[in-house]
């Protein structure tokens, strides 16, 4: 059931990823430029700031997660490590050092630029699948077959299943916007479609199968009661099961660190670098400098204060999904239906051009964003309407597409007339 939820969530997201990814491949522009036709040359700063803020939040949280993995590895390999208990920004000293180490690893990968990131991802992806796949196989071997994998079961309700799908959509909401940053390097639309088709549903589903399999077999092998099973979704707790086998713990820990760096750089911190360069082109005039600034800004979220409050994390997750879903709906409606995938490239960078609107801002789009974001947010404050908030990403996409098309349908007619004149 867990894998079915993952497959459905990623399947629906793949559609949005392809639709927005088309912009990057056809026009060779990243997200901060791709939103200008909808929001205006100046108004485009708003969705850029929103995406950067959200992505940096996830960068911070994932960096803390990576720090806990490093801390677990060192603790298992070197017992006195946990005696470093002096408080540092709300963390014991040993965890603070581990967090810093993981943060530096992210910066090192990011600092080299897109080519270095691509090379790292090409190595990291297969290595992660192979190493964790080997652990999965080892667990099945110890359990004498696949039986234990299916013996650890749960019976979720339909409501719980649909909520899980909606929550997973919120997790990947940033990537739906980020995707032009990557597809701008694709040689063709076919390449970006094949790449995304393999990357999200296939590779991520395979990784999820391995992760679910490892968790299930470890719960079985170590006789974890079902009442505590949920705690072992956290890979750090699984690692501590291997305390008597430090080499196995080291193997698992290194694999998880590489996996977390890989996802964190590609999905969370890379795009804010583009965003910051777009917002402050004169001051942040190099990739390396901007990478360091973005990573430091991530630290300001103090993720150690968020991580142990799961309820707050999920609240933020759903709010994030609504806000970014609204932007995604606007982008899809404008690019595919209003403009039929055509831009005036020069005007994306020109004051007083087609995308200048009212002093650089398209207020119709701002209104659409406010409504698309606001309706799901009502469910957060009004408990009887909580379903609006629970399904925030999907609802925001639908509302924003509908409202944006309603407010801009005359623009579609104008564009049709201009294209007809060009043909004549």
């Amino acid at each position: 059931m867990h894998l079915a939820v993952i497959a459905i969530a990623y399947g629906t997201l793949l559609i949005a990823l392809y639709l927005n990814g088309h912009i990057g491949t056809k026009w060779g522009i990243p997200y901060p430029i791709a939103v200008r036709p909808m929001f205006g040359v100046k108004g485009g700063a708003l969705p850029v700031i929103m995406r950067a803020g959200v992505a940096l939040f996830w960068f911070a949280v994932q960096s803390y997660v990576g720090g806990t993995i490093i801390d677990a590895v060192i603790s298992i390999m070197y017992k006195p490590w946990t005696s470093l208990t002096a408080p540092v920004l709300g963390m014991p000293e040993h965890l603070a050092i581990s967090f810093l180490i993981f943060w530096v690893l992210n910066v090192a990968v990011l600092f080299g630029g897109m080519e270095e990131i691509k090379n790292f991802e090409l190595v990291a992806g297969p290595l992660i699948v192979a190493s964790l796949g080997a652990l999965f196989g080892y667990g099945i071997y110890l359990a004498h077959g696949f039986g234990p994998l299916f013996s650890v079961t749960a019976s979720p309700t339909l409501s719980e299943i649909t909520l899980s799908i909606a929550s997973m959509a919120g997790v990947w909401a940033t990537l739906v916007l980020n995707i032009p940053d990557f597809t701008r390097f694709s040689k063709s639309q076919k390449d970006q479609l094949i790449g995304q088709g393999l990357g999200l549903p296939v590779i991520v589903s395979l990784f999820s199968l391995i992760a679910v399999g490892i968790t299930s077999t470890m719960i079985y092998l170590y006789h974890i009661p079902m009442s505590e099973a949920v705690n072992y979704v956290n890979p750090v707790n699984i690692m501590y099961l291997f305390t008597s086998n430090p080499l196995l713990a080291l193997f698992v820990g290194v694999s998880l660190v590489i996996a977390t760096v890989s996802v964190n750089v590609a999905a969370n911190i890379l795009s804010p670098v583009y965003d910051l360069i777009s917002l402050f082109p004169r001051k942040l005039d190099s990739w390396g400098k901007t990478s360091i600034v973005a990573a430091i800004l991530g630290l300001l979220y103090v993720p150690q204060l968020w991580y142990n409050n799961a309820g707050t994390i999920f609240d933020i997750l759903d709010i994030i999904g609504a806000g970014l879903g609204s932007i995604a709906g606007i982008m899809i409606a404008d690019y595919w239906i209003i403009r039929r995938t055509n831009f005036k490239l020069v005007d994306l960078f020109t004051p007083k051009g087609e995308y200048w609107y009212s002093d650089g801002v398209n207020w119709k789009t701002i209104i659409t964003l406010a409504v698309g974001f606001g309706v799901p947010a009502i469910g957060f404050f009004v408990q009887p309407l909580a379903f609006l908030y629970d399904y925030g990403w999907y609802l925001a996409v639908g509302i924003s597409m509908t409202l944006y098309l309603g407010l801009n349908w005359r623009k579609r007619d104008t564009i049709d007339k201009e294209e007809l004149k060009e043909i004549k």
Side-chain angles (χ1 to χ4, degrees):
M1 184 56 69
H2 293 86
L3 296 175
V5 167
I6 292 168
I8 294 170
Y10 290 163
T12 56
L13 285 171
L14 181 61
I15 298 171
L17 284 165
Y18 170 72
L19 293 176
N20 279 344
H22 192 282
I23 300 174
T25 302
K26 181 173 182 177
W27 297 99
I29 55 177
Y31 168 81
I33 308 302
V35 292
R36 290 182 179 181
M38 308 96 190
F39 287 85
V41 175
K42 287 186 177 179
L46 176 59
V48 169
I49 292 170
M50 288 177 64
R51 182 188 74 162
V54 170
L56 288 173
F57 168 79
W58 283 118
F59 167 73
V61 171
Q62 288 296 321
S63 293
Y64 183 77
V65 170
T68 63
I69 295 171
I70 290 177
D71 186 61
V73 172
I74 300 175
S75 299
I76 294 170
M77 301 294 294
Y78 179 64
K79 302 298 183 184
W81 177 248
T82 54
S83 64
L84 300 174
T85 56
V88 178
L89 299 175
M91 296 176 281
E93 185 180 2
H94 62 89
L95 182 54
I97 295 172
S98 301
F99 177 30
L100 180 61
I101 292 171
F102 187 84
W103 181 86
V104 170
L105 290 175
N106 282 263
V107 174
V109 173
L110 181 68
F111 192 85
M114 285 299 296
E115 191 63 27
E116 293 299 323
I117 293 171
K118 183 182 75 173
N119 292 336
F120 176 79
E121 297 291 337
L122 287 173
V123 173
L127 181 63
I128 294 162
V129 173
S131 58
L132 294 184
L135 178 62
F136 182 26
Y138 179 65
I140 292 173
Y141 168 75
L142 293 178
H144 305 292
F146 281 92
L149 175 61
F150 299 101
S151 67
V152 181
T153 60
S155 301
T157 64
L158 179 61
S159 175
E160 289 172 338
I161 293 171
T162 55
L163 284 174
S164 297
I165 293 171
S167 294
M168 292 199 70
V171 170
W172 291 91
T174 51
L175 189 58
V176 172
L177 305 186
N178 295 355
I179 199 63
D181 298 341
F182 299 95
T183 58
R184 64 192 292 251
F185 299 103
S186 297
K187 295 180 180 179
S188 68
Q189 298 296 347
K190 181 180 178 181
D191 286 348
Q192 76 109 345
L193 179 59
I194 293 173
Q196 293 201 68
L198 292 175
L200 193 63
V202 177
I203 301 300
V204 176
S205 294
L206 176 60
F207 183 80
S208 299
L209 170 63
I210 293 171
V212 170
I214 290 173
T215 302
S216 297
T217 51
M218 293 304 121
I219 288 173
Y220 173 82
L221 289 171
Y222 289 89
H223 308 292
I224 307 297
M226 288 304 298
S227 60
E228 299 177 14
V230 68
N231 297 324
Y232 290 85
V233 174
N234 184 340
V236 172
N237 290 335
I238 290 179
M239 287 176 58
Y240 279 118
L241 296 175
F242 307 143
T243 302
S244 60
N245 192 340
L247 290 180
L248 180 58
L250 178 63
F251 173 79
V252 174
V254 170
S255 300
L256 290 173
V257 167
I258 294 172
T260 310
V261 170
S262 175
V263 171
N264 209 21
V265 169
N268 297 327
I269 190 64
L270 184 149
S271 292
V273 176
Y274 277 116
D275 296 337
L276 291 171
I277 291 173
S278 172
L279 293 169
F280 307 102
R282 294 180 180 177
K283 294 184 178 180
L284 300 176
D285 54 1
S286 72
W287 181 272
K289 180 196 298 183
T290 312
S291 297
I292 295 173
V293 171
I296 291 173
L297 288 174
L299 293 177
L300 299 181
Y301 281 88
V302 287
Q304 62 271 25
L305 302 182
W306 295 93
Y307 183 70
N308 293 319
N309 192 338
T312 302
I313 289 288
F314 281 107
D315 286 342
I316 292 174
L317 181 65
D318 289 333
I319 290 292
I320 284 171
L324 301 191
S326 183
I327 297 172
I330 290 169
M331 292 177 68
I332 293 169
D334 183 90
Y335 181 70
W336 284 95
I337 302 175
I338 299 295
R339 302 185 189 279
R340 296 180 185 173
T341 76
N342 292 312
F343 288 149
K344 291 183 179 178
L345 199 59
V346 173
D347 284 1
L348 292 171
F349 306 91
T350 306
K352 309 298 183 180
E354 180 179 334
Y355 311 124
W356 191 247
Y357 299 105
S358 177
D359 294 325
V361 179
N362 185 352
W363 289 103
K364 289 182 180 179
T365 305
I366 302 299
I367 292 170
T368 302
L369 175 61
V371 175
F373 188 8
V375 171
I378 291 172
F380 179 74
F381 298 101
V382 182
Q383 188 58 39
L385 299 177
F387 68 93
L388 297 174
Y389 161 72
D390 293 334
Y391 300 96
W393 188 84
Y394 291 103
L395 186 60
V397 169
I399 290 174
S400 296
M401 287 186 68
T402 303
L403 181 56
Y404 187 85
L405 292 173
L407 293 175
N408 292 278
W409 198 254
R410 288 185 179 179
K411 184 190 294 184
R412 170 66 265 170
D413 294 337
T414 301
I415 292 173
D416 283 340
K417 291 176 182 178
E418 291 177 353
E419 290 177 351
L420 184 60
K421 287 180 182 178
E422 290 178 2
I423 293 173
K424 290 181 178 180

Coordinates of all heavy atoms in Angstrom, one line a residue, residues 177-226:
L177 N 8.3 23.4 -9.5 CA 8.7 24.7 -10.0 C 10.2 24.7 -10.4 O 10.6 25.4 -11.3 CB 8.5 25.7 -8.8 CG 7.1 25.8 -8.2 CD1 7.1 27.0 -7.2 CD2 6.1 26.1 -9.3
N178 N 11.0 24.0 -9.7 CA 12.5 23.9 -10.0 C 12.8 23.4 -11.3 O 13.9 23.6 -11.9 CB 13.2 23.0 -8.9 CG 13.1 23.6 -7.5 OD1 12.6 24.7 -7.3 ND2 13.6 22.8 -6.6
I179 N 11.9 22.6 -11.9 CA 12.3 21.7 -13.0 C 12.9 22.4 -14.2 O 13.8 21.9 -14.9 CB 11.1 20.8 -13.4 CG1 11.6 19.6 -14.2 CG2 10.0 21.6 -14.1 CD1 12.5 18.7 -13.4
P180 N 12.5 23.7 -14.6 CA 13.1 24.3 -15.7 C 14.6 24.6 -15.4 O 15.4 24.7 -16.4 CB 12.4 25.7 -15.8 CG 11.0 25.4 -15.2 CD 11.3 24.5 -14.1
D181 N 15.0 24.7 -14.2 CA 16.4 24.9 -13.9 C 17.3 23.7 -14.4 O 18.5 23.9 -14.7 CB 16.6 25.0 -12.3 CG 15.9 26.2 -11.7 OD1 15.6 27.1 -12.5 OD2 15.7 26.2 -10.5
F182 N 16.7 22.6 -14.5 CA 17.4 21.4 -14.9 C 17.1 21.1 -16.4 O 18.0 20.8 -17.2 CB 16.9 20.1 -14.1 CG 17.2 20.2 -12.6 CD1 16.2 20.7 -11.8 CD2 18.5 19.9 -12.1 CE1 16.5 20.8 -10.4 CE2 18.7 20.0 -10.8 CZ 17.8 20.4 -9.9
T183 N 15.8 21.2 -16.8 CA 15.5 20.8 -18.2 C 16.1 21.8 -19.2 O 16.1 21.6 -20.4 CB 14.0 20.7 -18.4 OG1 13.4 22.0 -18.1 CG2 13.4 19.6 -17.5
R184 N 16.5 23.0 -18.8 CA 17.1 24.0 -19.7 C 18.4 23.4 -20.3 O 18.9 23.9 -21.3 CB 17.4 25.3 -19.0 CG 18.4 25.2 -17.9 CD 18.4 26.5 -17.0 NE 18.9 27.6 -17.8 CZ 20.1 28.2 -17.6 NH1 20.9 27.8 -16.6 NH2 20.5 29.2 -18.3
F185 N 18.9 22.4 -19.7 CA 20.1 21.7 -20.3 C 19.8 20.5 -21.2 O 20.7 19.9 -21.7 CB 21.1 21.3 -19.1 CG 21.5 22.5 -18.3 CD1 21.0 22.7 -17.1 CD2 22.5 23.3 -18.8 CE1 21.4 23.8 -16.3 CE2 22.9 24.4 -18.0 CZ 22.4 24.6 -16.7
S186 N 18.5 20.2 -21.3 CA 18.1 19.0 -22.1 C 18.2 19.4 -23.6 O 17.9 20.5 -24.0 CB 16.7 18.6 -21.8 OG 16.5 18.2 -20.5
K187 N 18.6 18.4 -24.4 CA 18.7 18.6 -25.8 C 17.4 18.6 -26.6 O 17.3 19.2 -27.6 CB 19.7 17.6 -26.4 CG 21.1 17.7 -25.9 CD 22.0 16.6 -26.5 CE 23.4 16.7 -26.0 NZ 24.3 15.6 -26.5
S188 N 16.4 17.9 -26.0 CA 15.1 17.9 -26.7 C 14.0 17.6 -25.7 O 14.3 17.1 -24.5 CB 15.1 16.8 -27.8 OG 15.2 15.5 -27.1
Q189 N 12.8 17.8 -26.1 CA 11.6 17.5 -25.2 C 11.6 16.0 -24.9 O 11.2 15.6 -23.8 CB 10.3 18.0 -25.8 CG 10.3 19.5 -26.0 CD 10.3 20.3 -24.7 OE1 10.2 19.8 -23.6 NE2 10.5 21.6 -24.8
K190 N 11.9 15.2 -25.9 CA 11.9 13.8 -25.7 C 12.9 13.4 -24.6 O 12.6 12.5 -23.8 CB 12.3 13.1 -27.0 CG 12.3 11.5 -26.9 CD 12.7 10.9 -28.3 CE 12.8 9.4 -28.2 NZ 13.2 8.8 -29.5
D191 N 14.1 14.0 -24.6 CA 15.1 13.7 -23.6 C 14.6 14.1 -22.2 O 14.8 13.3 -21.3 CB 16.4 14.5 -23.9 CG 17.2 13.9 -25.1 OD1 16.8 12.8 -25.5 OD2 18.1 14.5 -25.6
Q192 N 14.0 15.2 -22.1 CA 13.5 15.6 -20.8 C 12.3 14.8 -20.3 O 12.2 14.4 -19.1 CB 13.2 17.1 -20.7 CG 11.8 17.5 -21.4 CD 10.8 17.9 -20.3 OE1 10.9 17.7 -19.1 NE2 9.7 18.6 -20.8
L193 N 11.5 14.3 -21.2 CA 10.4 13.4 -20.8 C 10.9 12.1 -20.4 O 10.5 11.5 -19.4 CB 9.4 13.3 -22.0 CG 8.2 12.4 -21.8 CD1 7.4 12.9 -20.6 CD2 7.4 12.3 -23.0
I194 N 11.9 11.5 -21.2 CA 12.4 10.2 -20.8 C 13.2 10.3 -19.5 O 13.1 9.5 -18.6 CB 13.4 9.7 -21.9 CG1 12.6 9.4 -23.2 CG2 14.1 8.5 -21.4 CD1 13.4 9.0 -24.4
G195 N 14.0 11.4 -19.3 CA 14.7 11.6 -18.1 C 13.9 11.7 -16.9 O 14.1 11.0 -15.8
Q196 N 12.8 12.4 -17.0 CA 11.9 12.6 -15.8 C 11.1 11.3 -15.6 O 10.8 10.9 -14.5 CB 10.9 13.7 -16.1 CG 11.6 15.1 -16.1 CD 10.7 16.2 -15.8 OE1 10.1 16.3 -14.7 NE2 10.4 17.0 -16.8
G197 N 10.7 10.6 -16.7 CA 10.0 9.4 -16.6 C 10.8 8.3 -15.8 O 10.3 7.5 -15.1
L198 N 12.1 8.3 -16.1 CA 13.0 7.3 -15.4 C 13.3 7.8 -14.0 O 13.4 7.0 -13.1 CB 14.3 7.1 -16.2 CG 14.1 6.4 -17.6 CD1 15.5 6.4 -18.3 CD2 13.6 5.0 -17.4
G199 N 13.5 9.1 -13.9 CA 14.0 9.7 -12.6 C 13.1 9.6 -11.5 O 13.4 9.3 -10.4
L200 N 11.8 10.1 -11.7 CA 10.9 10.2 -10.6 C 10.1 8.9 -10.4 O 10.3 8.2 -9.4 CB 9.9 11.3 -10.8 CG 9.1 11.7 -9.6 CD1 10.1 12.2 -8.5 CD2 8.1 12.8 -9.9
P201 N 9.2 8.4 -11.3 CA 8.4 7.2 -11.0 C 9.3 6.0 -10.8 O 9.0 5.2 -9.9 CB 7.5 7.1 -12.2 CG 7.5 8.4 -12.9 CD 8.9 9.0 -12.6
V202 N 10.3 5.8 -11.7 CA 11.0 4.5 -11.7 C 12.0 4.5 -10.6 O 12.0 3.6 -9.7 CB 11.6 4.2 -13.1 CG1 12.4 2.9 -13.0 CG2 10.6 4.2 -14.2
I203 N 13.0 5.4 -10.7 CA 14.1 5.4 -9.7 C 13.6 5.6 -8.3 O 14.0 4.9 -7.3 CB 15.2 6.4 -10.1 CG1 15.7 6.1 -11.5 CG2 16.3 6.4 -9.1 CD1 16.4 4.8 -11.6
V204 N 12.8 6.6 -8.1 CA 12.3 6.9 -6.8 C 11.4 5.8 -6.2 O 11.5 5.5 -5.0 CB 11.5 8.3 -6.7 CG1 11.0 8.6 -5.4 CG2 12.5 9.4 -7.1
S205 N 10.6 5.2 -7.1 CA 9.8 4.1 -6.6 C 10.6 2.9 -6.2 O 10.4 2.2 -5.3 CB 8.8 3.7 -7.7 OG 7.8 4.7 -7.9
L206 N 11.7 2.7 -7.0 CA 12.6 1.6 -6.7 C 13.3 1.9 -5.4 O 13.4 1.0 -4.5 CB 13.7 1.5 -7.8 CG 14.8 0.4 -7.6 CD1 14.2 -1.0 -7.4 CD2 15.8 0.5 -8.7
F207 N 13.8 3.1 -5.2 CA 14.4 3.5 -3.9 C 13.4 3.3 -2.8 O 13.8 2.9 -1.7 CB 14.9 4.9 -4.0 CG 15.6 5.3 -2.8 CD1 16.9 5.0 -2.5 CD2 15.0 6.1 -1.8 CE1 17.6 5.4 -1.4 CE2 15.6 6.5 -0.7 CZ 17.0 6.2 -0.4
S208 N 12.2 3.7 -3.0 CA 11.1 3.6 -2.0 C 10.9 2.1 -1.6 O 10.7 1.8 -0.5 CB 9.8 4.3 -2.4 OG 10.0 5.6 -2.7
L209 N 10.9 1.3 -2.7 CA 10.7 -0.2 -2.4 C 11.8 -0.7 -1.5 O 11.5 -1.4 -0.6 CB 10.7 -0.9 -3.8 CG 10.7 -2.5 -3.7 CD1 9.5 -3.0 -3.0 CD2 10.9 -3.1 -5.1
I210 N 13.0 -0.3 -1.8 CA 14.2 -0.7 -1.0 C 14.0 -0.2 0.4 O 14.2 -0.9 1.4 CB 15.5 -0.2 -1.6 CG1 15.7 -1.0 -3.0 CG2 16.7 -0.5 -0.7 CD1 16.9 -0.4 -3.8
A211 N 13.6 1.1 0.6 CA 13.5 1.7 1.9 C 12.4 1.0 2.7 O 12.6 0.7 3.9 CB 13.2 3.2 1.8
V212 N 11.3 0.8 2.1 CA 10.2 0.1 2.8 C 10.6 -1.4 3.1 O 10.3 -1.9 4.2 CB 8.9 0.1 1.9 CG1 7.8 -0.9 2.5 CG2 8.3 1.5 1.8
G213 N 11.3 -2.0 2.2 CA 11.8 -3.4 2.4 C 12.7 -3.5 3.6 O 12.6 -4.4 4.4
I214 N 13.7 -2.5 3.6 CA 14.7 -2.5 4.7 C 14.0 -2.3 6.0 O 14.2 -3.0 7.0 CB 15.7 -1.4 4.5 CG1 16.6 -1.8 3.3 CG2 16.6 -1.2 5.7 CD1 17.6 -0.7 2.9
T215 N 13.1 -1.3 6.1 CA 12.4 -1.1 7.3 C 11.6 -2.3 7.8 O 11.6 -2.7 9.0 CB 11.4 0.1 7.1 OG1 12.1 1.3 6.7 CG2 10.7 0.5 8.4
S216 N 10.8 -2.9 6.9 CA 10.0 -4.1 7.2 C 10.8 -5.3 7.7 O 10.5 -5.9 8.7 CB 9.2 -4.5 6.0 OG 8.3 -3.5 5.6
T217 N 11.9 -5.6 7.0 CA 12.7 -6.7 7.4 C 13.5 -6.5 8.7 O 13.6 -7.4 9.5 CB 13.8 -7.1 6.3 OG1 14.5 -5.9 5.9 CG2 13.1 -7.6 5.1
M218 N 13.9 -5.2 9.0 CA 14.6 -4.9 10.2 C 13.6 -5.0 11.4 O 13.9 -5.5 12.5 CB 15.2 -3.5 10.2 CG 16.4 -3.4 9.2 SD 17.7 -4.6 9.5 CE 17.7 -5.5 7.9
I219 N 12.4 -4.5 11.2 CA 11.3 -4.6 12.2 C 11.1 -6.1 12.6 O 11.0 -6.5 13.7 CB 10.0 -4.0 11.7 CG1 10.2 -2.4 11.7 CG2 8.9 -4.4 12.6 CD1 9.0 -1.7 11.1
Y220 N 11.1 -6.9 11.5 CA 10.9 -8.4 11.7 C 12.1 -9.0 12.4 O 11.9 -9.7 13.4 CB 10.6 -9.1 10.4 CG 10.6 -10.6 10.5 CD1 9.4 -11.2 10.9 CD2 11.7 -11.3 10.2 CE1 9.3 -12.6 11.0 CE2 11.6 -12.7 10.3 CZ 10.5 -13.4 10.6 OH 10.4 -14.7 10.7
L221 N 13.3 -8.7 11.9 CA 14.5 -9.4 12.4 C 14.8 -9.0 13.9 O 15.3 -9.8 14.7 CB 15.7 -9.0 11.6 CG 15.7 -9.7 10.2 CD1 16.8 -9.1 9.3 CD2 15.9 -11.2 10.3
Y222 N 14.5 -7.8 14.2 CA 14.8 -7.3 15.6 C 13.6 -7.3 16.5 O 13.6 -6.7 17.6 CB 15.5 -5.9 15.5 CG 16.9 -6.0 15.0 CD1 17.1 -5.9 13.6 CD2 18.0 -6.2 15.8 CE1 18.4 -6.0 13.1 CE2 19.3 -6.2 15.3 CZ 19.5 -6.1 13.9 OH 20.7 -6.2 13.4
H223 N 12.5 -7.9 16.0 CA 11.3 -8.1 16.9 C 10.8 -6.8 17.4 O 10.5 -6.7 18.6 CB 11.6 -9.1 18.0 CG 12.2 -10.4 17.6 ND1 11.5 -11.3 16.8 CD2 13.5 -10.9 17.7 CE1 12.3 -12.3 16.6 NE2 13.5 -12.1 17.1
I224 N 10.7 -5.8 16.6 CA 10.2 -4.5 17.0 C 8.6 -4.6 17.0 O 8.0 -5.0 16.1 CB 10.6 -3.4 16.0 CG1 12.1 -3.4 15.7 CG2 10.1 -2.0 16.4 CD1 12.9 -3.1 16.9
P225 N 8.0 -4.2 18.2 CA 6.5 -4.3 18.2 C 5.9 -3.3 17.3 O 6.5 -2.2 17.1 CB 6.3 -4.0 19.7 CG 7.5 -3.3 20.2 CD 8.6 -3.8 19.4
M226 N 4.7 -3.6 16.8 CA 4.1 -2.7 15.8 C 3.8 -1.3 16.4 O 3.8 -0.3 15.7 CB 2.8 -3.3 15.4 CG 2.9 -4.5 14.4 SD 3.9 -4.1 12.9 CE 2.9 -2.8 12.2

